[in-house]
Amino acid sequence: MKNKLTLAAIGLFLMAMTLSCQQDGQEGDWVALFNGKDLDGWNIKIAGYPMNENFGNTFRVEDGLLKVSYDEYENFDNRFGHLFFHQPFSHYKLRVEYRFTGEQVPGGAGWAYRNNGIMFHAQPAETMAIDQHFPISVEAQLLGGSGEGERPTGSVCTPGTSVEIDGLKIDAHCFGSAGPTIDGDRWVTMEIVVLGDSVVHHIVEGDTVLTYGKLRYEGAMLYDLPGWGDLDGKPLTSGYIALQAESHPTEFRKIEIMDLSEKFPSGEPVALVEQYYHKEYFVSGSDTLPYRIMWPGNFRPEKQYPVLLFLHGAGERGRDNSAQLTHGGAWLASGDVRREFPAVVIFPQCASDNWWAKMERDQSPDGTLSFAFNPDGEPTVSMRLLTELMDEVNGQPWADKQRFYLGGLSMGGMGTFELLHRRPEMFAAAFPICGGGNPGATEGFAKNTPLWVFHGDSDPIVSPDLSTAMVDALRAHGAEPRYTLYEGVGHNAWDHAFLEKDLLPWLFSFSKP
């Protein structure tokens, strides 16, 4: 698709992403979508023609390669084509090896020179209008050099959709990556990691060139198709994978996928809530704390289980007893996690007019936030209810008192530090993400509770200096916390922490004496 924006300063969004960050899978987990012989399993849609009418033999297989060809065309005439794999996906890693060849067909637009793309979360081929140029989807753009200036490959385009990059909504046609300009006809490996609507990584030749999240349906394009306008603003969680044909010959020799859906149960938070987490309420006097609880598989009340408490951020406050599962709910409910780390998992919800941590919050005219923490004295109402709830859980016969674990993000990361201060003997290990606290209130839990602290070094909301100060204070008291400061990552450090393959094994390895 046409790249309307110049190359942005994407260095802030880069992360070192490898297969090991996704799962422990080996090469056997890769499944070929292209069999090297024919187009079995794929559907063709070319603008102006019914589905599976392959005008000009545009999509073909020759010599074991899947080719986009134009040798039977006289003129392009806006015959934009897409080749759809027949099965939808939500959470996966896709690997494609491609190259551009030959000359652009006459009539192709200048921007389409050596231009192709991987469309994902796309609408079904059969729902496209007869003359529709592009499916509603998100595109990982494939570009080749023109010999003049930079044409970075690995950008993102958003037909009928929007994404968010470090807190900024991107709904322009295309947004540039930090990818290289690749000249000539050499083979290029492009990978995309797609985790529902939450996070996507573009990886070119092993380097992550773009990261974004919060995929949504959005824009006037939706209203051109009957019924699709109803989706405007809603999460884009899954869909089809399609390869483009935009007027320049392109070859693909490998198209393979690693399905991650078992690790990240698909669906919107409500579906996850109903399937995995039971709705409960803790009442103390006139105050109520909503919370969700997930029991381990084959739960037996006479057995003892670890307890994992997770505290959400400010954006998920309220009374609906659902929003708190937005971040982390799917991760901890994934099949592999539940099998490998059977535990009772609790997600409480802070009131919309309250905070987990006792603090003063100030915002300067330029939008910068500052925090002053006071973890002593009377706690906030939500923290008081939380400590009472955990004291009650601690007395249950099914709770392994030596294996209580704590984590939280943003406001919940701040709550993690305060709860450790208020209950220094309760937790065997903890992992605060993009949080902070009072460094003077760490001595009580410094040597009792191992910590793994996470933060993005480009966080514009909660300064990483807050986490650094807490880590320094812990070390001054003789503790040895782990500290992961993600380079180029903004406030959404949790997306990266949840992909740390060692996090849960590390956490569950600890038990209080």
Side-chain angles (χ1 to χ4, degrees):
M1 289 189 165
K2 187 175 182 181
N3 193 341
K4 293 183 178 178
L5 298 184
T6 58
L7 178 66
I10 297 300
L12 292 178
F13 315 125
L14 301 184
M15 69 172 287
M17 185 74 171
T18 63
L19 175 59
S20 63
C21 293
Q22 307 307 311
Q23 62 171 23
D24 299 329
Q26 303 300 317
E27 288 299 309
D29 294 314
W30 289 98
V31 176
L33 301 186
F34 169 51
N35 62 18
K37 300 176 182 178
D38 53 38
L39 297 179
D40 185 42
W42 295 82
N43 290 307
I44 297 167
K45 181 63 183 76
I46 296 176
Y49 301 88
M51 190 174 82
N52 287 326
E53 184 171 332
N54 191 11
F55 174 82
N57 200 21
T58 304
F59 297 101
R60 65 184 75 165
V61 177
E62 295 176 339
D63 302 322
L65 303 177
L66 193 162
K67 297 183 178 182
V68 176
S69 302
Y70 294 99
D71 54 2
E72 298 181 22
Y73 281 59
E74 290 185 3
N75 193 281
F76 184 61
D77 289 333
N78 287 329
R79 296 187 181 96
F80 293 96
H82 293 85
L83 184 66
F84 290 78
F85 191 70
H86 70 95
Q87 176 184 346
F89 296 94
S90 62
H91 298 69
Y92 56 91
K93 185 171 185 176
L94 184 74
R95 183 159 63 196
V96 170
E97 293 182 8
Y98 72 94
R99 68 177 179 182
F100 294 103
T101 63
E103 299 298 325
Q104 185 180 22
V105 65
W111 57 261
Y113 176 82
R114 290 184 174 258
N115 191 334
N116 203 301
I118 303 167
M119 319 298 282
F120 63 93
H121 283 6
Q123 68 182 104
E126 59 268 24
T127 65
M128 289 186 67
I130 189 72
D131 293 321
Q132 187 175 339
H133 288 182
F134 308 109
I136 296 166
S137 59
V138 179
E139 176 192 352
Q141 189 182 54
L142 311 177
L143 276 183
S146 64
E148 297 181 2
E150 294 184 344
R151 301 187 84 220
T153 193
S155 299
V156 62
C157 302
T158 54
T161 59
S162 69
V163 301
E164 189 172 287
I165 297 178
D166 207 27
L168 299 176
K169 185 175 75 172
I170 306 298
D171 56 5
H173 190 68
C174 291
F175 187 92
S177 79
T181 297
I182 299 176
D183 296 307
D185 296 348
R186 72 177 181 87
W187 290 102
V188 181
T189 299
M190 172 77 170
E191 297 173 324
I192 57 173
V193 179
V194 181
L195 302 180
D197 66 329
S198 63
V199 64
V200 177
H201 304 285
H202 292 190
I203 305 168
V204 178
E205 301 289 9
D207 290 330
T208 301
V209 300
L210 187 61
T211 294
Y212 51 91
K214 204 171 184 180
L215 282 62
R216 297 290 185 268
Y217 291 98
E218 185 161 335
M221 180 179 176
L222 297 172
Y223 297 90
D224 294 335
L225 300 173
W228 286 83
D230 295 339
L231 296 175
D232 199 355
K234 293 185 177 180
L236 177 60
T237 59
S238 64
Y240 293 82
I241 295 168
L243 305 176
Q244 289 192 303
E246 294 190 305
S247 75
H248 202 109
T250 313
E251 297 179 349
F252 299 87
R253 68 179 179 186
K254 180 181 290 186
I255 307 167
E256 55 188 5
I257 196 167
M258 180 183 291
D259 191 350
L260 304 176
S261 58
E262 287 191 2
K263 288 184 170 292
F264 299 88
S266 61
E268 297 181 27
V270 171
L272 291 170
V273 166
E274 297 303 326
Q275 184 174 358
Y276 297 101
Y277 295 90
H278 298 271
K279 183 181 290 187
E280 302 287 350
Y281 295 88
F282 178 78
V283 179
S284 176
S286 61
D287 298 314
T288 300
L289 179 71
Y291 69 96
R292 291 280 183 162
I293 187 166
M294 181 174 66
W295 303 98
N298 300 316
F299 174 78
R300 293 164 54 189
E302 69 273 14
K303 289 187 60 177
Q304 288 193 329
Y305 298 90
V307 176
L308 173 54
L309 173 67
F310 193 85
L311 306 182
H312 64 79
E316 293 74 56
R317 291 176 297 173
R319 296 290 185 185
D320 65 355
N321 208 356
S322 176
Q324 71 264 39
L325 293 171
T326 300
H327 303 297
W331 170 52
L332 294 172
S334 67
D336 284 355
V337 169
R338 297 189 74 197
R339 283 190 296 270
E340 295 176 26
F341 307 103
V344 176
V345 180
I346 299 174
F347 276 78
Q349 186 176 34
C350 181
S352 57
D353 59 353
N354 214 227
W355 307 93
W356 292 126
K358 187 178 180 181
M359 63 181 179
E360 293 182 3
R361 179 177 178 269
D362 186 49
Q363 186 169 11
S364 65
D366 66 359
T368 303
L369 294 175
S370 60
F371 303 88
F373 300 94
N374 180 20
D376 295 313
E378 287 296 316
T380 66
V381 173
S382 292
M383 176 58 75
R384 175 179 61 79
L385 291 169
L386 179 60
T387 54
E388 291 178 7
L389 169 64
M390 294 311 296
D391 288 343
E392 183 174 289
V393 170
N394 194 44
Q396 298 301 312
W398 44 259
D400 185 344
K401 298 174 179 58
Q402 277 67 51
R403 303 188 68 197
F404 273 45
Y405 306 109
L406 173 62
L409 61 88
S410 192
M411 179 190 76
M414 300 172 186
T416 296
F417 282 118
E418 179 161 325
L419 185 53
L420 289 173
H421 171 66
R422 293 184 179 275
R423 291 292 185 274
E425 303 293 336
M426 178 173 282
F427 297 97
F431 59 104
I433 305 170
C434 57
N438 188 331
T442 57
E443 184 175 5
F445 64 87
K447 293 185 178 180
N448 295 331
T449 310
L451 269 75
W452 190 344
V453 180
F454 299 91
H455 218 120
D457 71 354
S458 300
D459 191 335
I461 306 298
V462 179
S463 171
D465 293 344
L466 296 179
S467 284
T468 300
M470 295 300 285
V471 169
D472 289 345
L474 290 165
R475 289 172 176 165
H477 291 302
E480 298 180 354
R482 297 181 68 167
Y483 187 22
T484 299
L485 191 62
Y486 293 111
E487 182 180 357
V489 171
H491 190 51
N492 65 324
W494 55 85
D495 287 328
H496 307 270
F498 295 163
L499 292 175
E500 292 281 355
K501 66 182 181 67
D502 292 332
L503 174 54
L504 291 179
W506 172 87
L507 186 73
F508 282 90
S509 71
F510 293 101
S511 178
K512 296 188 76 67

